[in-house]
C-alpha cells in the first residue's frame, strides 16, 4: 500500500522532465501508478468482500499514539478502484486532450498525479490524523489544478474560493478529530467505528465539526458555491476531482463514520436536511444554465446531496444503496465530463445555444454520452437504475424522517431527469433555425476512456449482483436489517419502480416546458451562494481595513505599551486569583553579593536610557543592560549562556550602529510630560510582575528538577557540556525549528531593505556591471579607482585602498587583519569543543560573523566581499540543509541525532570521536554565519551605497569613485 502511494508522488516529481522529453505522451507513463493501484485493489477483492482487511502501520508520533495506519476494507476497496481506476483513465485522456505546446503542462501533470496519490492515501488511511494530512493535500493540489490557467482572473478566484471553503471546513474537522480521538482513547478509525465513544456533548460537538469538513469537501449547501466555479479548471480536472475523487471524499467520510455516529442526535438532522436541500437546489439551478460543464457541475452538486443523504441515513439498506450510487455516479458523471471536453475540443464551444447537429457529426461521442446520461437518469438496464431502486426501497421502509427524505429524493430525481435531457439535447440535437456546428474528427484514443466508463455502467447494470458481496460487506457494518436488501437489476413491479416512473415522467415534463421553467427559475432566483461569498469576502476586507487602521497607529511605543499592559493584566489576574505564592519558599536576594552589584548597575543603565536624547547613547546604554545580564550568567556559573549573550549583544549593538547612520542624531519624537510619566510606571510594573512571576514559578516547584536527569543522560554519552548537548541532541528538533525561523526572519528583513532595488537606476547599473560588494573578485578590486593613488602606506586589507584617505585608519586595518584569522580559529574551536567546554554552533557562528564584521568596519563593503566572496544565502541554505538532513538521519534508529558516532586517532590531536550532533551543530554554525552576513550586507553595504549616491560619489556608469567607511 505504502509503495503505491510513494510511487504516485515520486513519479509526480518527475513529471516535468517526462513532459519535456515525451510531450503529452508522458501522460501514458504517468498513468502507470494509478493503474497499478487498480490492479492491486482487484487482487484484494475477495479479501475485502469477505469482510477482511489488509493493514499497514508505522508509528509516527508514538508518545501521542499517532501512527500512519493504512487499511483496505470493503469501503476502501470501492474508493481505491474509483480513485485509481478513473484517475488512470483521465491521465490517458489527457494525452489526447492537451497539445505538446500547452503552457506549464509538466506542472499540471505532476499536480494531477500527486492529487491521485493523495486521494489514494486518504481513502486508505485508518488514522484520523493521517486522514487529515492527506485530506489537506488533496485541497492543496486541487487548488493548483483549478488555478492552472492562472493568467485568467476567474481561474485564480475560483481556485482561491475552493481553497478557502474546503480549508476552513478541514480545520473545523481537525478539531473534531482531536475531540473524537481524545474521547475514544485512540485515533484509529477502525477502532473508533468498532467501539464508538459515548454520545456526550463533546462528542456531539465533534460530530458537527467533522460534518462541517465533510460537507464542505463534497460541496453540500451552504458550502456548494465553490464546485460550479471550479469548472474553470481543465475538463480532465473536472472529470476526476469533481466527479470521481475529491468531492467523493466528504461522502466517503460520512459513510466511514456513519456506523459509529449515525445515532448521535445531531447527525441525522444535519445530513438529511442539508443533503436533501442540496439535491433540490442543485438540480433546479441546472435547468436554467447554458454551459454544458455548468449543467453537469450543478448536477454534480445535486447528486452529492443525494449521496450524502443516503450515506448518513444510518441503516443497512440505505448504506448499501449509498455505496452502489457512489459507484454508479462515478461511472456516469466522469464520462459525461470527458465527453463535454471532447465536444468543446471538436467545436470550440460548450454553449448549448450554439451547438446544433453535433450528434450527427460525432455519432460515437453522442452514443457514449447517451449511455452515461441514461445511467444518470436511472434508466434500465444501467447501473444508475439499480442503485436508484435500492435507494427508493431503503427509504421507503425507513423511519418517518426517511420517508420525508424519500419525497425529496423523488423530486430531486425528477430534476435529474430534466437536466439530463437538457444536457443531451443541448450538446447533440439539431436545433431549428440554427445551422449545424462545424466539428473536426475525434480519434479513438480520445474517446476510449469515457467509452470504457460508460460501458462499465451498462455492464454493471445487469451484473450489479457481482458487486453485492463487496458492497454488502460494508453495509453489514450497520445493525442488521430484518429484510436485508440485495442488489439486482430487477426486483419486480413495486412502489420503488412506480416512484422511478413518476420521476421520469415529471422530469420529461420539466424538459418539454424548459422555456417556461427557465423563465420561472430566473424570476424567483434568490442571491446565489457565489455572490453571497463574494460580498462576505468584500465585507471582511473592509472590516479588516477598518480594524487595522484603528489599531495600527504607527507608534512603536503604543504597540509596546499595549503588549505590556495585556501581559500585566493577565499575570496580575492569575497572581491575585490563584495566590500561587502560598507555601512558596522565601526568596533570596542573591547567592553572591556580586550579583546584587551587577544587577544594580544593570538597572541604573536601563533607567539612564530614559534621560538621553542622543540615539547612540541610548544604544550604548541598552547594550550595557545586555552585558549586565551576561555578567550575571558569569557570576552564576553559566559560561555557555554568558558567552552567547556577549556575542548576541555585540552583534546587536553593531547592527544598531549601522542603522543609526541613516537616522538623525537626536530623538525627534516629542514626548509630553504626562506620557513620560505614564511610560515609567508601566515599564516598572511590567518588570516587577515578570520578576515576581519567575520567583513564584521557581519557588513553587514540587517535582524534582529535570536538570539532574539531563546531566546523567549527558554523562552516559561521555560528554560534559549539558547545555550544548540539550540544544543539539535532546531538544534538537526545537533547535532546528528555531534555526529555520531565524533564517526566515533574516531573509524577510533583508528582502524588505532590498525591495526597491529595481527602481534604483544607479545601483541597478552597478549590479549589471558586476561591481557589487558580493561579486567583487581580487581582479575587480585591483581595477577599482583608489581613494588616494599616491598614498605611500602599505595596504593591510585587500580592498582597504578603496577608501578615501580621510576614512582610513591604518591602526584599525592592522588590528583587523591580525585578529581576523585568530577569531575564525576561535569560532572553529568553539564549534568542536562544545561537547565538553562552553561553545556550540550558534555562538561559534556569531564569533565568525564578528570576524567578518571586523573586516567590514575596517575596510568597507568591498573588504567584506573579499573576506566572504560567497553569497550569504549559500551559507544560510547549506546550514539549514545540513541540520535538517542530519536530524532526519537520526530517525533511522528512533533517536534524534546520536544515531551515529565515529571514533578515530589523529597523530597530532590524539584520539577523537565525532558524533552526528557535531554535524548538526556545523549546520547551525553555517546558518548563523549566513544570517549575520546577510544583515551586514543589507544594513552595511546597502546603506554604504545609499550614502555614496546621496553624496554624488558614484559615477553614472555605476562604478564607485570613492568609498565611505561605516565608522
Amino acid at each position: 500500500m505504502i509503495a503505491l502511494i510513494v510511487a504516485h508522488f515520486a513519479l509526480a516529481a518527475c513529471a516535468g522532465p517526462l513532459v519535456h522529453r515525451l510531450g503529452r505522451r508522458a501522460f501514458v507513463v504517468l498513468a502507470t501508478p494509478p493503474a497499478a493501484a487498480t490492479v492491486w485493489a482487484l487482487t484484494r477483492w475477495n479479501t475485502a468482500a469477505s469482510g477482511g482487511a489488509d493493514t499497514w502501520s508505522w508509528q509516527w508520533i508514538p508518545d501521542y499514539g499517532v501512527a500512519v495506519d493504512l487499511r483496505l476494507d470493503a469501503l476502501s476497496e470501492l474508493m481505491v478502484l474509483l480513485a485509481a481506476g478513473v484517475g488512470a483513465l483521465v491521465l490517458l485522456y489527457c494525452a489526447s486532450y492537451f497539445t505538446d505546446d500547452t503552457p506549464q503542462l509538466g506542472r499540471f501533470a505532476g499536480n494531477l498525479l500527486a492529487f491521485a496519490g493523495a486521494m489514494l492515501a486518504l481513502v486508505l488511511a485508518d488514522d484520523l490524523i493521517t486522514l487529515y494530512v492527506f485530506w489537506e493535500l488533496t485541497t492543496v493540489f486541487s487548488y493548483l489544478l483549478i488555478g492552472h490557467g492562472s493568467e485568467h482572473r476567474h481561474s485564480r478566484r475560483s481556485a482561491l474560493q475552493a481553497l478557502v471553503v474546503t480549508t476552513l471546513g478541514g480545520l473545523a474537522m481537525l478539531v473534531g478529530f482531536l475531540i473524537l480521538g481524545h474521547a475514544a482513547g485512540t485515533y484509529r478509525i477502525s477502532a473508533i467505528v468498532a467501539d464508538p465513544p459515548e454520545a456526550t456533548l463533546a462528542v456531539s460537538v465533534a460530530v458537527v465539526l467533522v460534518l462541517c469538513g465533510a460537507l464542505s469537501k463534497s460541496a453540500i449547501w451552504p458550502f456548494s458555491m465553490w464546485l460550479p466555479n471550479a469548472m474553470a479548471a481543465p475538463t480532465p480536472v473536472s472529470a476526476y476531482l469533481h466527479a470521481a475523487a475529491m468531492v467523493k471524499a466528504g461522502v466517503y467520510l460520512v459513510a466511514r463514520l456513519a456506523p459509529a455516529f449515525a445515532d448521535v442526535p445531531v447527525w441525522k438532522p444535519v445530513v438529511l436536511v442539508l443533503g436533501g436541500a442540496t439535491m433540490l437546489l442543485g438540480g433546479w439551478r441546472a435547468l436554467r444554465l447554458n454551459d454544458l460543464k455548468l449543467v453537469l457541475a450543478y448536477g454534480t452538486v445535486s447528486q452529492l446531496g443525494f449521496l450524502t443523504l443516503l450515506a448518513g441515513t444510518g441503516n443497512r439498506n440505505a448504506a448499501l444503496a449509498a455505496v452502489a450510487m457512489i459507484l454508479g455516479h462515478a461511472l456516469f458523471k466522469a464520462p459525461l465530463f470527458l465527453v463535454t471536453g471532447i465536444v468543446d475540443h471538436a467545436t470550440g464551444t460548450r454553449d448549448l445555444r450554439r451547438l446544433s447537429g453535433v450528434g450527427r457529426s460525432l455519432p460515437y461521442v453522442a452514443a457514449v454520452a447517451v449511455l452515461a446520461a441514461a445511467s444518470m437518469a436511472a434508466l434500465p438496464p444501467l447501473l444508475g437504475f439499480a442503485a436508484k431502486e435500492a435507494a427508493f426501497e431503503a427509504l421507503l421502509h425507513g423511519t418517518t424522517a426517511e420517508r420525508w427524505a424519500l419525497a425529496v429524493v423523488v423530486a430531486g430525481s425528477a430534476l435529474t431527469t430534466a437536466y439530463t435531457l437538457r444536457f443531451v439535447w443541448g450538446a447533440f440535437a439539431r436545433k431549428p433555425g440554427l445551422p449545424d456546428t462545424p466539428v473536426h474528427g475525434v480519434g479513438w484514443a480520445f474517446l476510449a476512456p469515457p467509452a470504457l466508463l460508460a460501458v462499465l455502467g451498462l455492464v454493471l447494470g445487469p451484473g450489479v449482483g457481482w458487486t453485492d458481496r463487496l458492497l454488502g460487506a460494508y453495509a453489514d457494518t450497520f445493525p442488521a436489517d430484518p429484510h436485508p436488501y440485495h442488489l439486482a437489476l430487477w426486483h419486480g413491479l413495486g412502489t420503488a419502480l412506480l416512484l422511478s416512473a413518476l420521476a421520469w415522467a415529471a422530469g420529461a415534463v420539466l424538459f418539454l416546458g424548459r422555456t417556461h421553467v427557465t423563465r420561472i427559475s430566473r424570476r424567483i432566483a434568490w442571491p446565489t451562494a457565489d455572490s453571497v461569498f463574494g460580498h462576505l469576502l468584500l465585507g471582511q476586507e473592509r472590516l479588516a481595513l477598518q480594524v487595522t487602521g484603528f489599531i495600527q497607529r504607527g507608534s512603536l511605543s503604543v504597540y509596546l505599551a499595549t503588549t505590556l499592559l495585556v501581559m500585566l493584566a493577565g499575570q496580575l489576574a492569575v497572581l491575585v486569583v490563584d495566590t500561587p505564592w502560598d507555601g512558596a519558599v522565601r526568596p533570596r536576594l542573591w547567592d553572591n553579593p556580586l550579583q546584587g552589584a551587577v544587577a544594580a548597575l544593570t538597572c541604573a543603565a536601563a533607567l539612564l536610557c530614559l534621560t538621553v536624547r542622543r540615539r547612540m547613547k541610548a544604544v550604548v546604554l541598552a547594550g550595557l543592560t545586555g552585558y549586565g545580564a551576561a555578567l550575571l550568567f558569569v557570576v552564576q556559573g553559566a559560561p555557555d549562556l554568558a558567552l552567547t549573550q556577549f556575542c548576541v549583544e555585540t552583534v546587536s549593538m553593531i547592527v544598531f550602529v549601522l542603522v543609526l547612520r541613516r537616522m538623525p542624531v537626536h530623538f525627534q519624537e516629542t514626548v509630553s510630560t504626562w506620557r513620560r510619566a505614564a511610560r515609567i510606571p508601566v515599564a516598572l510594573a511590567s518588570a516587577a510582575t515578570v520578576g515576581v512571576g519567575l520567583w513564584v514559578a521557581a519557588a513553587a516547584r514540587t517535582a524534582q528538577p529535570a536538570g539532574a536527569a539531563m546531566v546523567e543522560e549527558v554523562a552516559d554519552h561521555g560528554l560534559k557540556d549539558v547545555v550544548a548537548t540539550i540544544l543539539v541532541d535532546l531538544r534538537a528538533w526545537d533547535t532546528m525549528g528555531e534555526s529555520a525561523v531565524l533564517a526566515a526572519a533574516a531573509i524577510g528583513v533583508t528582502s524588505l531593505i532590498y525591495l526597491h532595488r529595481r527602481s534604483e537606476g544607479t545601483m541597478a547599473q552597478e549590479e549589471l556591471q558586476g561591481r557589487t560588494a558580493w561579486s567583487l573578485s581580487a581582479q575587480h578590486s585591483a581595477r577599482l579607482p583608489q581613494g588616494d593613488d599616491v598614498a605611500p602606506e602599505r595596504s593591510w586589507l585587500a580592498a582597504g585602498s578603496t577608501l578615501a584617505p580621510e576614512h582610513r585608519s591604518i591602526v584599525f586595518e592592522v588590528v583587523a587583519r591580525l585578529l581576523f584569522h585568530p577569531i575564525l580559529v576561535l569560532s572553529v574551536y568553539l564549534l568542536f569543543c562544545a561537547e565538553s567546554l562552553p561553545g556550540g554552533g550558534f555562538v561559534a557562528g556569531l564569533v565568525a560573523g564578528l570576524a567578518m564584521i571586523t573586516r567590514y568596519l575596517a575596510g568597507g563593503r568591498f573588504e567584506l566581499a573579499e573576506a566572504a566572496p560567497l553569497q550569504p544565502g549559500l551559507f544560510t541554505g547549506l546550514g539549514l540543509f545540513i541540520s535538517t538532513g542530519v536530524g532526519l538521519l537520526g530517525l533511522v534508529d528512533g533517536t534524534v541525532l546520536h544515531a551515529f558516532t565515529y571514533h578515530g586517532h589523529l597523530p597530532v590531536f590524539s584520539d577523537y570521536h565525532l558524533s552526528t550532533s557535531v554535524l548538526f551543530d556545523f549546520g547551525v554554525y553555517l546558518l548563523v554565519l549566513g544570517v549575520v552576513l546577510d544583515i551586514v550586507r543589507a544594513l552595511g553595504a546597502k546603506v554604504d551605497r545609499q550614502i555614496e549616491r546621496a553624496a554624488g560619489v558614484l559615477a553614472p556608469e555605476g562604478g564607485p569613485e570613492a568609498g565611505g567607511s561605516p565608522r
Side-chain angles (χ1 to χ4, degrees):
M1 281 187 277
I2 192 64
L4 289 170
I5 296 172
V6 172
H8 280 74
F9 290 105
L11 196 57
C14 304
L18 282 173
V19 171
H20 179 73
R21 185 175 184 84
L22 301 177
R24 59 182 179 173
R25 295 188 302 275
F27 282 101
V28 179
V29 179
L30 297 175
T32 53
T38 306
V39 173
W40 169 77
L42 289 173
T43 63
R44 311 308 302 164
W45 179 286
N46 287 330
T47 302
S50 302
D54 293 307
T55 61
W56 181 88
S57 180
W58 175 69
Q59 291 298 316
W60 183 11
I61 312 176
D63 292 342
Y64 291 92
V66 178
V68 179
D69 292 317
L70 305 179
R71 189 172 188 267
L72 180 73
D73 58 8
L75 183 58
S76 298
E77 169 82 11
L78 172 64
M79 296 304 297
V80 168
L81 289 174
L82 294 181
V86 177
L89 291 176
V90 168
L91 285 165
L92 293 175
Y93 175 89
C94 289
S96 301
Y97 182 83
F98 294 104
T99 59
D100 290 337
D101 58 351
T102 302
Q104 300 180 344
L105 187 59
R107 181 184 301 176
F108 172 86
N111 289 332
L112 186 59
L113 182 58
F115 174 87
M119 190 67 198
L120 177 64
L122 186 154
V123 299
L124 288 173
D126 193 33
D127 179 85
L128 292 176
I129 305 303
T130 305
L131 187 148
Y132 173 75
V133 170
F134 288 106
W135 183 283
E136 290 305 317
L137 280 179
T138 60
T139 298
V140 172
F141 288 122
S142 67
Y143 166 76
L144 297 174
L145 290 168
I146 296 171
H148 173 66
S150 57
E151 66 276 8
H152 302 294
R153 181 177 179 272
H154 179 58
S155 296
R156 298 194 301 271
R157 184 181 183 276
S158 300
L160 181 61
Q161 187 181 72
L163 180 70
V164 169
V165 174
T166 55
T167 301
L168 288 178
L171 291 174
M173 184 185 72
L174 175 61
V175 177
F177 280 171
L178 295 176
I179 297 174
L180 286 181
H182 179 74
T186 178
Y187 288 93
R188 194 77 175 256
I189 298 176
S190 57
I192 294 174
V193 173
D195 186 19
E198 184 181 352
T200 61
L201 177 61
V203 171
S204 298
V205 172
V207 166
V208 172
L209 293 174
V210 171
L211 287 177
C212 284
L215 300 182
S216 64
K217 198 78 161 182
S218 287
I220 304 301
W221 190 90
F223 307 109
S224 54
M225 84 289 292
W226 69 265
L227 178 57
N229 285 336
M231 294 302 110
T235 298
V237 174
S238 303
Y240 187 37
L241 275 67
H242 308 136
M246 176 182 171
V247 293
K248 290 291 199 316
V251 177
Y252 164 77
L253 185 59
V254 171
R256 174 63 73 191
L257 298 180
F261 300 106
D263 292 331
V264 175
V266 297
W267 177 280
K268 285 188 179 179
V270 172
V271 171
L272 295 181
V273 172
L274 295 184
T278 304
M279 186 177 187
L280 294 178
L281 293 175
W284 178 253
R285 184 72 188 278
L287 296 180
R288 63 184 180 93
L289 298 172
N290 299 312
D291 188 309
L292 294 178
K293 278 185 73 173
L294 285 180
V295 172
L296 293 179
Y298 278 97
T300 301
V301 170
S302 177
Q303 292 289 317
L304 289 171
F306 180 34
L307 291 174
T308 302
L309 185 151
L310 287 177
T313 299
N315 65 63
R316 189 259 178 202
N317 291 344
L320 180 64
V323 288
M325 197 66 202
I326 288 174
L327 176 61
H329 180 265
L331 294 182
F332 63 68
K333 190 55 66 70
L336 287 175
F337 272 113
L338 296 179
V339 164
T340 300
I342 294 176
V343 171
D344 188 15
H345 201 276
T347 64
T349 181
R350 298 194 306 261
D351 191 336
L352 56 82
R353 295 168 298 185
R354 299 171 55 190
L355 293 170
S356 179
V358 177
R360 292 175 178 266
S361 303
L362 301 174
Y364 295 110
V365 176
V368 171
V370 169
L371 197 60
S375 183
M376 183 165 68
L379 295 177
L382 290 106
L383 178 59
F385 170 76
K388 187 72 71 66
E389 288 285 291
F392 286 167
E393 194 69 32
L395 296 175
L396 186 63
H397 297 92
T399 63
T400 303
E402 291 168 10
R403 286 194 290 272
W404 277 105
L406 175 61
V408 173
V409 168
V410 173
S413 299
L415 295 174
T416 301
T417 302
Y419 65 68
T420 299
L421 292 173
R422 178 178 174 82
F423 172 85
V424 175
W425 167 81
F428 300 103
R430 175 173 286 175
K431 301 177 179 65
L434 189 66
D436 287 355
T437 305
V439 300
H440 62 75
V442 176
W444 66 267
F446 205 178
L447 185 60
L452 179 58
L453 292 172
V455 169
L456 279 175
L458 175 62
V459 172
L460 288 180
V464 69
W466 302 337
T467 66
D468 184 68
R469 186 162 161 258
L470 175 70
L471 304 184
Y474 162 71
D476 290 338
T477 60
F478 290 83
D481 192 282
H483 304 288
Y485 188 87
H486 293 281
L487 294 173
L489 180 63
W490 180 252
H491 284 274
L493 297 175
T495 307
L497 184 61
L498 179 63
L499 293 175
S500 295
L502 178 63
W504 297 329
V509 170
L510 288 173
F511 170 71
L512 293 175
R514 56 187 176 273
T515 303
H516 300 289
V517 170
T518 301
R519 188 181 301 115
I520 295 172
S521 174
R522 289 176 177 169
R523 282 181 179 178
I524 65 173
W526 46 82
T528 63
D530 183 53
S531 64
V532 172
F533 177 82
H535 284 88
L536 286 176
L537 279 186
L538 181 60
Q540 186 180 27
E541 290 178 1
R542 290 177 176 174
L543 178 62
L545 288 174
Q546 293 293 331
V547 173
T548 302
F550 177 77
I551 296 175
Q552 299 293 328
R553 298 299 183 90
S555 174
L556 295 178
S557 59
V558 172
Y559 300 155
L560 182 59
T562 303
T563 304
L564 291 178
L565 287 173
V566 171
M567 182 274 297
L568 187 62
Q571 292 292 330
L572 288 177
V574 173
L575 292 174
V576 171
V577 174
D578 292 345
T579 61
W581 54 80
D582 292 341
V585 180
R586 185 175 180 180
R588 298 193 306 272
L589 293 179
W590 53 69
D591 293 325
N592 187 320
L594 186 57
Q595 290 178 325
V598 174
L601 292 175
T602 303
C603 293
L607 291 174
L608 286 175
C609 290
L610 300 174
T611 63
V612 297
R613 299 279 302 173
R614 298 174 65 91
R615 297 180 186 272
M616 191 65 71
K617 282 185 179 181
V619 169
V620 173
L621 290 172
L624 288 178
T625 61
Y627 286 122
L631 286 176
L632 287 175
F633 292 142
V634 172
V635 176
Q636 191 65 25
D640 281 276
L641 299 179
L643 184 59
T644 303
Q645 179 67 23
F646 277 123
C647 293
V648 169
E649 201 60 46
T650 302
V651 173
S652 300
M653 287 190 65
I654 293 174
V655 169
F656 269 118
V657 171
L658 294 177
V659 173
L660 291 181
R661 291 182 297 160
R662 297 290 287 173
M663 300 182 70
V665 175
H666 296 88
F667 289 107
Q668 295 179 327
E669 182 184 13
T670 302
V671 181
S672 61
T673 305
W674 73 267
R675 289 184 63 184
R676 187 184 299 274
R679 290 179 179 185
I680 296 176
V682 170
L684 294 179
S686 301
T689 303
V690 171
V692 171
L694 289 174
W695 164 69
V696 169
R701 179 191 297 276
T702 57
Q704 291 295 324
M710 290 187 175
V711 171
E712 182 179 353
E713 179 71 19
V714 171
D716 289 341
H717 290 280
L719 307 175
K720 297 179 181 179
D721 192 339
V722 180
V723 174
T725 306
I726 290 174
L727 292 177
V728 301
D729 191 344
L730 303 180
R731 299 185 63 85
W733 289 113
D734 290 346
T735 303
M736 189 173 68
E738 292 163 0
S739 300
V741 171
L742 176 65
I747 293 172
V749 171
T750 54
S751 298
L752 288 175
I753 295 174
Y754 279 87
L755 183 64
H756 303 291
R757 59 187 303 178
R758 289 185 178 179
S759 62
E760 297 174 355
T762 305
M763 189 175 69
Q765 294 176 7
E766 183 179 338
E767 298 283 352
L768 293 174
Q769 294 292 332
R771 300 294 185 88
T772 69
W774 293 95
S775 60
L776 189 66
S777 64
Q779 183 179 5
H780 291 147
S781 180
R783 295 199 303 265
L784 286 171
Q786 307 300 303
D788 187 353
D789 292 334
V790 296
E793 63 267 27
R794 176 183 176 183
S795 176
W796 284 88
L797 298 177
S801 57
T802 60
L803 295 177
E806 62 273 14
H807 293 145
R808 295 185 62 184
S809 171
I810 298 301
V811 174
F812 196 8
E813 292 182 14
V814 172
V815 172
R817 187 58 181 264
L818 293 177
L819 292 181
F820 176 71
H821 297 93
I823 294 177
L824 286 181
V825 173
L826 175 62
S827 72
V828 175
Y829 172 78
L830 292 173
L831 171 65
F832 287 104
C833 76
E835 292 187 341
S836 300
L837 295 172
F842 185 82
V843 67
L846 288 175
V847 171
L850 286 173
M852 301 299 174
I853 292 174
T854 303
R855 289 281 293 270
Y856 165 71
L857 294 176
R861 56 191 176 101
F862 294 113
E863 183 62 32
L864 179 62
E866 291 292 338
L870 300 178
Q871 288 284 347
L874 178 63
F875 293 100
T876 304
L878 183 60
L880 193 59
F881 175 79
I882 292 175
S883 298
T884 305
V886 175
L888 294 176
L889 181 66
L891 291 176
V892 173
D893 66 349
T895 63
V896 180
L897 292 179
H898 271 295
F900 304 100
T901 302
Y902 306 92
H903 298 272
H905 178 81
L906 293 175
V908 177
F909 298 95
S910 186
D911 295 334
Y912 74 93
H913 77 277
L914 180 64
S915 66
T916 46
S917 61
V918 177
L919 297 178
F920 179 89
D921 229 3
F922 180 64
V924 175
Y925 174 87
L926 292 178
L927 186 145
V928 173
L929 176 59
V931 167
V932 173
L933 287 174
D934 215 4
I935 292 175
V936 176
R937 177 188 67 164
L939 301 178
K942 165 74 173 180
V943 175
D944 287 345
R945 289 196 291 270
Q946 292 177 347
I947 294 174
E948 291 167 3
R949 284 196 302 275
V953 295
L954 283 181
E957 67 274 9
E961 294 180 353
S965 173
R967 297 189 298 278

